[in-house]
Amino acid sequence: MASTIIYLSLIIIINFLITIAFAFDPTPLQDFCVADLTSQLSISGPLPCKDPKSVTADNFYYTGLNKPGDTSNKLNAGLTPVGVKQVPGLNTLGLSMARLDLGPGGYFPLHVHARASEIHIVLQGSLEVGFTSPEHNYTYYSKTLNVGDMFVVPAGLIHVQRNPGNVPMSSYSILNSQNPGVDEIGKAIKNLPAGQLGA
């Protein structure tokens, strides 16, 4: 009898602890936290909040995505990022985006966003986009997108974008992270010490 009471008491305590462990609010605790870009505080993650009394509509606004990025480089690619530095109102919302412009034959090299999935939406021209999946024997999944098409790249997977056409291409990329990170595979390999890649 005593062992049954102890057993039931343990079950009740464990259930109570599990309930507490999962009792959290995954959504922001305030309506917004506009980034204070002048703060000297250096933290990893969201930036400190500006005084709400000094927030204006301009903190949530950006203009310029109608202008093509500069593609006069060896990649024939231009990127216009829109993150917290450009729109302080994005702070803590878990979003960022960019406009990608590729001239004919242009490309954005193999890269990874370790902290974000990415959606590509074509505005003009055509875009070949693809990723590899290590979990599926490094299968390459790709599509050539036209105006109005979209393609999703899961977080942390190596992917590439290329303009297969003979006219300029423009697209929007939307990422589900305030700081998605961009790790270019070619640059990482180039900086490895000699002999580190193996045979």
Side-chain angles (χ1 to χ4, degrees):
M1 177 77 171
S3 63
T4 304
I5 292 173
I6 292 172
Y7 180 74
L8 288 174
S9 297
L10 281 173
I11 289 176
I12 291 169
I13 290 170
I14 289 171
N15 281 333
F16 177 74
L17 292 174
I18 289 173
T19 303
I20 290 174
F22 289 104
F24 67 92
D25 186 359
T27 59
L29 299 176
Q30 67 272 356
D31 288 343
F32 56 80
C33 170
V34 172
D36 181 355
L37 300 178
T38 63
S39 174
Q40 298 300 311
L41 183 61
S42 177
I43 57 175
S44 177
L47 299 171
C49 301
K50 215 173 149 169
D51 180 348
K53 293 177 188 134
S54 66
V55 171
T56 69
D58 286 340
N59 295 130
F60 302 92
Y61 175 77
Y62 179 83
T63 185
L65 288 174
N66 60 321
K67 299 175 186 145
D70 181 12
T71 60
S72 62
N73 53 59
K74 67 181 184 177
L75 301 178
N76 207 6
L79 188 70
T80 306
V82 181
V84 173
K85 289 181 182 174
Q86 295 78 22
V87 181
L90 283 170
N91 194 36
T92 73
L93 300 182
L95 294 170
S96 58
M97 69 174 298
R99 175 180 168 143
L100 176 63
D101 291 283
L102 299 173
Y107 66 98
F108 198 84
L110 288 171
H111 63 284
V112 172
H113 304 290
R115 297 178 291 275
S117 297
E118 183 174 16
I119 294 175
H120 297 276
I121 303 169
V122 175
L123 305 172
Q124 167 187 316
S126 54
L127 173 69
E128 180 187 341
V129 60
F131 64 87
T132 62
S133 171
E135 187 177 306
H136 299 282
N137 201 27
Y138 292 92
T139 301
Y140 182 61
Y141 300 91
S142 72
K143 276 296 209 185
T144 298
L145 310 179
N146 296 302
V147 175
D149 293 345
M150 62 83 65
F151 190 81
V152 177
V153 176
L157 298 184
I158 296 172
H159 59 286
V160 65
Q161 295 101 342
R162 183 180 76 86
N163 179 354
N166 55 11
V167 296
M169 188 289 309
S170 299
S171 68
Y172 287 150
S173 294
I174 300 153
L175 301 109
N176 67 334
S177 174
Q178 176 172 322
N179 182 11
V182 178
D183 300 320
E184 288 185 41
I185 306 306
K187 286 182 182 176
I189 291 172
K190 185 174 107 178
N191 291 326
L192 289 174
Q196 292 298 310
L197 292 177

